Amino acid sequence: MGRILLLILVILVSQINVQAHTFTIGEHDFFLDGQPFVIRCGEIHFPRVPREYWRHRLQMCKAMGLNTVCVYLFWNFHEWQEGRYDWSGQADAAEFCRIAQQEGLWVMLRPGPYSCAEWEMGGLPWWLLKNDKINLRSRDPAFLNPAVRYMKEVGRVLGPLQITRGGPILMVQVENEYGSYGKDAAYMGALRQALIDGGFDTPLFACNPQGAIANGRRSDLFQVVNFGANAAAKSFETLRHFQKTGPLMNGEYYPAWFDMWGRKHRTGPVEPIVADIDYMLKNRHSFSIYMAHGGTSFGLWAGADRPFSPDTSSYDYDAPISEAGWVTPKFNAIRQVLARGETPPAPPPQNPVMTVKPFELKEAASVFENLPAPVEDETPRTMEFYNQSRGCTLYRATLPAGPAGALTIKEVHDFAWIFLDGKSVGVMDRRRQSYHVDLPERAAAARLDILVEAMGRVNFGREVFDRKGIHGPVRFAKSEVKGWKIYPLSLDAQELASLKFGPGAPGPAFWRGSFQLEKAGDTFLDLRTWSKGVAWVNGHCLGRFWDIGPTQTMYCPGPWLRHGGNEIVILDLIGPRRPEMAGLEKPILDELRPALDFSRAARAGGAFSAGGVPPVIQGSFTSSDQWQEINFARPTKGRYLCLEALDAQDGKQTASVAELDALDAKRETISKAGWKILWADSEEHGDGDAENVLDGQPSSSWITAPGTVFPHRVVIDLGDGAEISGIRYLPGNIKDFRVYVSEMPFGLTPRN
Ligand code: GLA
């Protein structure tokens, strides 16, 4: 009897909760329980924060003055194996939402299926790529069916946490910046319907940067607009143009930016952020700071920018809450603005941080001596074909005795170290599209080993079709190398457990060491004497490291360490300069060491000359910040594309371009996957690299260096060449321009 009464009571209480809150979108405002409500939100990704620290970081968000957090779900984090969903441990999204609610925060949920976020394949599961005909992010049933199934699963797990049922979830996003990728409103409609069928009855929305709002737009999806510093007024004006009523909301406001290996550490000044947030608050615009707390892309989850620029493991983002959860000057400045209405709680105490005394890693397990059972194949194929999700793969074949010659591969994703009879002879590097290594003469048949490292799959643009490993064929001296053994190195717990360690060894190897602690605390492992690879502490994968920087340390959370003995394993694909380790009290996030890059991105030599080739078009860009499409009189074939800037909109000598696309005969954007910057007359290194015109990011630009003058030119090598019918240009400040297309590299000398 007592039990039944209790049950009735529980049902009654949950009913009260159901009626407790409502959230709606009105003519000018959001309404929470019938009252106008401004969403003061910040983004945080629970997989990027150790579960033990979720509450701490959410308390930090609350203390900054936020009333809501925005959360992506990365589909691949919850369905890494097809059909097997995981919502446990670090993947316990429901628990994260419950803690947010307990800490007085609402939740905006962004389940994907695509997310971007500098995350492996933008959150899409790798196994989709096993189908070589699949069309990602489209109505292709090979994509849509598993995506819809996943969206419904999200409904099952998180539907009960909607505000309509007493939970913290206010709104749910459909897809992510889809307008930057495609135009199919029916695709957005199918995903919207999947969420509704999955049981979501809160408002659904879509986000886009202002230039992409029109693409794939639907009036039954509320739109929000994404932008960085100094763009608020203009972006909201564009949003209002498309969405005549409703509150204005920013979906991602960038307080700085993410880092990529080999590129300068990004930071963003505090003043414009404070001014923008102040502006949004005064105008009752809602916003979401992306990121409020970036955290760390632990494991092998970091993604890569396009065409291929892998992201660092640190996702500090120069966000107001630092990677290790610390208060920063940006935090305090934002808190001050947000505290004007109501005083937020004080930030929770910082988690203890400690040093670890230097120690040596004495044991090693050579990759070559710890190979799993191979698969045999006539011609090597990508990892997905062998059902390998990620990690490294060793491809092995035999080369007969004979003269020296060139080893070439069509493409390798992403790095390939080449060994002949165990001796290192060269490296292939996707960043430079360099897939050519000269091999020496062989007196007898020799063992050819190609050790491929896959970094995270590209998370943005068409390049998300990023199959890893060797895209064959492999040729030596022009004939195809056949008869391969393929060894998958998945770098998972099972592989680590099977390693046989011995004394230190040169070449690619796992290294092992241990250290004692009196008391566990956060620390930053100093990787400066190591080259390139992956690190684990007590079985937790901390992520990838690379000596070229800018990140030189790895955030190691205290809860993953323990009193007494702790074990560290490091896979170094090149080998350490000294196999030692220490824990520091502060991270090193901004130390670039380009001299250590094994294949430094080198620009072509020589001087630019159009060589009598007339421009395919010349004209003037308009003074606007919108995409501008320039059509050629007729399609032109060529391998090299040059944009020549003659002057600037502001009359000064600096040229800048945010993005440059080429269009094919059907006026579709051509994939930039095989593209690279051949040359630019001038670049502000670190900040304004010419690669920024290829990265698909509106907020990063090629910027010429101070002291140089017009004309400014950037030359792109399209790899295979293409038939181009026009360009799309995202400003930028160029006024008058010319475009050249040629089969020849404009008198420049490409470096291999
Ligand atoms: C876009 C995406 C985000 C993230 C940012 C860059 O706006 O929507 O997921 O990738 O860029 O950090």
Side-chain angles (χ1 to χ4, degrees), residues 53-328:
Y53 283 159
W54 285 353
R55 187 176 297 279
H56 177 266
R57 303 302 193 261
L58 288 165
Q59 287 172 346
M60 287 289 289
C61 290
K62 183 76 183 172
M64 193 163 72
L66 303 179
N67 58 21
T68 308
V69 286
C70 188
V71 185
Y72 274 129
L73 299 182
F74 302 123
W75 177 9
N76 56 15
F77 198 62
H78 301 288
E79 196 185 353
W80 189 243
Q81 299 303 332
E82 185 171 9
R84 262 199 272 151
Y85 293 109
D86 179 10
W87 300 99
S88 65
Q90 278 290 138
D92 192 348
E95 179 63 7
F96 185 81
C97 292
R98 280 192 290 266
I99 300 177
Q101 187 172 27
Q102 287 156 14
E103 296 302 331
L105 291 160
W106 300 103
V107 172
M108 292 182 56
L109 188 68
R110 308 203 291 165
Y114 166 78
S115 302
C116 198
E118 294 66 69
W119 188 263
E120 150 81 26
M121 210 172 152
L124 300 178
W126 67 279
W127 42 262
L128 294 168
L129 295 176
K130 289 203 268 185
N131 175 345
D132 55 9
K133 306 252 167 16
I134 196 167
N135 191 9
L136 302 170
R137 301 180 72 187
S138 79
R139 276 184 290 152
D140 174 1
F143 176 78
L144 197 57
N145 291 345
V148 165
R149 191 164 35 82
Y150 154 73
M151 302 291 262
K152 290 188 183 160
E153 167 71 4
V154 171
R156 185 187 70 78
V157 176
L158 294 171
L161 288 169
Q162 294 175 88
I163 184 167
T164 44
R165 306 196 205 154
I169 298 173
L170 291 183
M171 296 215 278
V172 182
Q173 182 180 297
V174 179
E175 245 272 0
N176 188 74
E177 294 194 339
Y178 172 69
S180 299
Y181 183 86
K183 297 182 178 169
D184 184 9
Y187 161 66
M188 289 295 282
L191 294 177
R192 173 183 170 275
Q193 193 56 46
L195 285 174
I196 294 170
D197 295 345
F200 283 102
D201 52 13
T202 44
L204 302 179
F205 71 104
C207 79
N208 275 302
Q210 58 154 332
I213 293 177
N215 300 335
R217 201 177 88 81
R218 306 175 57 88
S219 53
D220 57 10
L221 274 179
F222 181 71
Q223 271 285 336
V224 303
V225 65
N226 299 349
F227 52 83
N230 304 317
K234 183 78 194 65
S235 303
F236 284 129
E237 192 187 310
T238 311
L239 176 59
R240 186 48 94 215
H241 168 78
F242 287 100
Q243 192 161 262
K244 303 289 180 215
T245 65
L248 290 171
M249 174 160 191
N250 155 278
E252 291 180 10
Y253 176 76
Y254 311 112
W257 205 237
F258 59 89
D259 281 341
M260 290 163 275
W261 294 113
R263 314 274 286 270
K264 199 170 142 189
H265 172 54
R266 300 300 186 108
T267 55
V270 174
E271 299 73 33
I273 299 167
V274 168
D276 284 338
I277 292 180
D278 188 46
Y279 167 86
M280 291 191 273
L281 282 176
K282 284 198 175 120
N283 288 285
R284 300 189 54 75
H285 299 330
S286 292
F287 59 85
S288 182
I289 300 168
Y290 186 105
M291 301 294 295
H293 172 50
T296 313
S297 303
F298 294 115
L300 302 177
W301 291 109
D305 211 356
R306 66 198 280 203
F308 179 65
S309 185
D311 300 317
T312 57
S313 305
S314 169
Y315 201 59
D316 178 84
Y317 218 95
D318 195 29
I321 304 166
S322 83
E323 180 174 6
W326 300 348
V327 167
T328 65

Side-chain angles (χ1 to χ4, degrees), residues 727-741:
I727 58 163
R728 286 175 77 231
Y729 158 81
L730 185 68
N733 69 343
I734 298 174
K735 190 162 161 251
D736 300 307
F737 69 89
R738 293 187 189 122
V739 176
Y740 300 87
V741 174

Side-chain angles (χ1 to χ4, degrees), residues 501-659:
F501 286 90
F510 296 85
W511 292 74
R512 186 165 71 180
S514 59
F515 57 102
Q516 295 288 322
L517 288 179
E518 287 293 317
K519 203 166 163 240
D522 286 0
T523 193
F524 300 91
L525 295 179
D526 182 355
L527 273 290
R528 279 175 296 179
T529 64
W530 298 80
S531 299
K532 184 179 198 312
V534 181
W536 293 262
V537 167
N538 295 331
H540 293 274
C541 186
L542 298 183
R544 299 186 178 93
F545 64 89
W546 194 349
D547 55 5
I548 60 173
T551 321
Q552 300 290 352
T553 50
M554 297 185 89
Y555 174 52
C556 181
W560 294 354
L561 297 171
R562 54 189 171 230
H563 167 83
N566 291 271
E567 185 191 78
I568 180 159
V569 173
I570 295 189
L571 165 64
D572 196 324
L573 292 159
I574 301 169
R577 284 175 288 284
R578 285 192 310 281
E580 54 186 43
M581 181 59 56
L584 310 182
E585 264 183 330
K586 283 196 181 137
I588 304 172
L589 299 179
D590 58 356
E591 197 180 309
L592 277 177
R593 297 194 290 177
L596 295 179
D597 197 336
F598 47 82
S599 59
R600 233 180 131 176
R603 296 285 185 246
F608 175 89
S609 134
V613 178
V616 282
I617 195 151
Q618 55 187 336
S620 309
F621 293 123
T622 54
S623 165
S624 107
D625 48 12
Q626 300 292 305
W627 280 99
Q628 297 174 39
E629 203 167 298
I630 307 291
N631 295 319
F632 303 165
R634 70 192 67 83
T636 310
K637 267 197 179 153
R639 171 167 174 181
Y640 299 96
L641 172 74
C642 171
L643 175 67
E644 182 177 58
L646 301 174
D647 49 19
Q649 299 286 354
D650 61 6
K652 297 196 177 133
Q653 290 300 330
T654 308
S656 69
V657 178
E659 204 59 29

